[in-house]
Amino acid sequence: MKQLAEVLQSGNISEFVSSEYTVYPKSIAKAGGTTIAIVKTAEGKKLFAVGDDDLYDALVGEPAQGGEGKLCALSHANRLTINNFFPYTAPRAFGTKVATMGLGDRLGIASPGHIETIQGKDIRPVLAQQSIRELALTGRTYEDVLDAAAYAVLQEGYTDGYGADGDHLKKIEDIEYALRLGFTMLTLDCSENIDNSIAGASDEELAAKYEALPASLREQYESRYLGEAAAVPGATLAFTKESLVKDVLIYHEAINFMEEIYNRYIATLDREVDFEISIDETETPTSPEAHYLVANELRHRGVSIFSMAPRFCGEFQKGIDYIGDIAQFERELASHAAIAVHFGYKLSIHSGSDKFSVFPLIGQYTKGLFHLKTAGTNWLEAVRVVASENPSLYRRMHQYALDHFEEATAYYHVTTDLSAIAPLESVTDEQLPAYMNENNARQLLHITYGLLLQAKNEDGSLTFADEFFQTLYDREDVFVEGLKRHIGKHLELLGK
């Protein structure tokens, strides 16, 4: 390691040759009299530091072989130190003037590939994006999520900024948790305050519920939306008393919730946070009129948002292309995008991975200014690597997923037809990666990720996870190339 210390200090990294360590050249960074770099070892990635000042002293590690330098774990404490000395490794808010993409690295190892894909393009990454549900299914914490993103940024020498999204949060304690750790985006999940029963209510039930609201509230809504027509360039809006009644009953309490969280947590912060509203968890699609109503009410209440995610017509299922009438989607997208422009925020597309048939429309109607969320598609690219590089492991994972599929459907809505998936015994090892090209197989593996990662043997050891992560560590280059190809296709079709 003495040789590594010498070459880092000299800057001639090309001179370093070692059978024990591989240096990530882009990670080399200097602050004061200390130089650091991320190195790959047989025991995992480490942070190597050489120097003699505050940064060196603050990093927790062990003396390197040879006596010069320090080898440090990629720990939470060391990440906080790195953030302090290299501010570009800490997350930031982006506001509404640039397109953003939530990349949802569930495994904590995909961000280097994401960065290589997105670098230099007119879009910024939200590398740390996880919901509480995803944390529970993967056994991770928000500290883990932020740590992984920050070290990936350091590894890639990426200085253009990244975001951290507390995704689909709806409980006060979870919101406080994410903000306390420094998350720079908050996606407020309003599903528990949206009345889904309205979609199936009779006319009599609707009338009774509406009459139960205070008269002053009903008068306020009716005067705003049944009087003068809403003027939103590019949007087609036609309120009727019948549709207004339903929209008020569905969204009124959700709007109150949005205002409460904004005033309590967002408006009082001493730093910028991108505040997103999620109303996509409803039984029926969000009409342009409903979208306008929610946005207009927020404006009247002084609530400023970064983006809003309506539920679009058709289906945005996990890991596969859009299902539905594309012509109808285009008509409604035009209005949704125009409403977002009118109110000064970005349109957000949830479950946005792999929606290749509608990406060009999204890029067109938002004029390239959108927020799009992906997550599970990165896991699927990791599974593709395992299928290619470790066929035996893939076969065991695939069978386990089949055996536990029904259990996984408690968390996700999919229309998977297991009978359409080619039986494992009929597929050669060379053909295994092609499973990730077939919708039913993609969804099978997509929604069982938590079960696969946390499956244990009788002795308590992990059934798949250790071998899974080792395979990806050994073939990190294959994973990066797969992400660049797959996420790159997203960006290309979105016009980026």
Side-chain angles (χ1 to χ4, degrees), residues 265-459:
Y265 294 105
I266 307 301
T268 57
L269 280 177
D270 59 358
R271 60 185 177 88
E272 294 296 318
V273 168
D274 293 327
F275 185 44
E276 172 165 298
I277 297 298
S278 166
I279 55 173
D280 62 311
E281 301 288 339
T282 60
E283 294 296 327
T284 56
T286 310
S287 68
E289 289 79 12
H291 182 175
Y292 177 86
L293 181 144
V294 172
N296 196 45
E297 290 302 306
L298 291 179
R299 172 176 283 185
H300 277 288
R301 301 181 189 205
V303 176
S304 178
I305 65 174
F306 160 81
S307 51
M308 188 181 297
R311 176 176 172 181
F312 295 101
C313 62
E315 294 201 36
F316 277 65
Q317 291 190 26
K318 303 295 183 181
I320 62 173
D321 207 341
Y322 174 76
I323 301 172
D325 184 334
I326 292 181
Q328 180 188 359
F329 175 81
E330 181 175 4
R331 289 193 300 271
E332 296 189 10
L333 174 66
S335 291
H336 286 303
I339 292 166
V341 169
H342 179 76
F343 287 102
Y345 55 79
K346 293 189 291 191
L347 191 65
S348 184
I349 297 88
H350 287 192
S351 297
S353 62
D354 307 283
K355 304 303 180 285
F356 300 117
S357 63
V358 295
F359 282 159
L361 296 174
I362 292 169
Q364 174 188 343
Y365 284 99
T366 63
K367 295 181 171 58
L369 202 59
F370 54 79
H371 181 67
L372 182 124
K373 291 196 179 191
T374 71
T377 200
N378 309 302
W379 152 261
L380 292 174
E381 286 306 305
V383 172
R384 190 192 299 273
V385 174
V386 170
S388 170
E389 307 299 319
N390 192 340
S392 173
L393 173 60
Y394 176 83
R395 289 181 183 277
R396 285 179 276 129
M397 290 174 60
H398 184 113
Q399 188 58 54
Y400 189 90
L402 285 171
D403 294 341
H404 294 80
F405 178 75
E406 291 303 321
E407 184 179 346
T409 58
Y411 302 102
Y412 294 100
H413 166 65
V414 292
T415 54
T416 312
D417 179 4
L418 296 183
S419 68
I421 302 173
L424 268 174
E425 60 270 19
S426 70
V427 177
T428 66
D429 285 354
E430 292 73 22
Q431 294 171 326
L432 290 177
Y435 271 123
M436 294 301 96
N437 301 333
E438 199 278 322
N439 283 351
N440 295 288
R442 284 180 69 79
Q443 290 195 325
L444 166 68
L445 273 301
H446 188 296
I447 72 169
T448 52
Y449 70 93
L451 298 173
L452 288 163
L453 290 173
Q454 298 205 65
K456 291 184 178 180
N457 301 314
E458 290 185 2
D459 62 1

Side-chain angles (χ1 to χ4, degrees), residues 44-91:
K45 294 180 183 179
K46 305 286 185 180
L47 185 69
F48 180 80
V50 59
D52 56 5
D53 63 0
D54 292 345
L55 171 57
Y56 187 83
D57 293 339
L59 290 170
V60 178
E62 300 293 331
Q65 294 176 3
E68 186 173 359
K70 184 187 295 185
L71 201 59
C72 312
L74 301 189
S75 66
H76 179 66
N78 284 336
R79 189 268 290 178
L80 295 177
T81 297
I82 294 299
N83 286 167
N84 186 41
F85 284 88
F86 302 96
Y88 65 89
T89 66

Side-chain angles (χ1 to χ4, degrees), residues 90 172 208:
I172 296 300

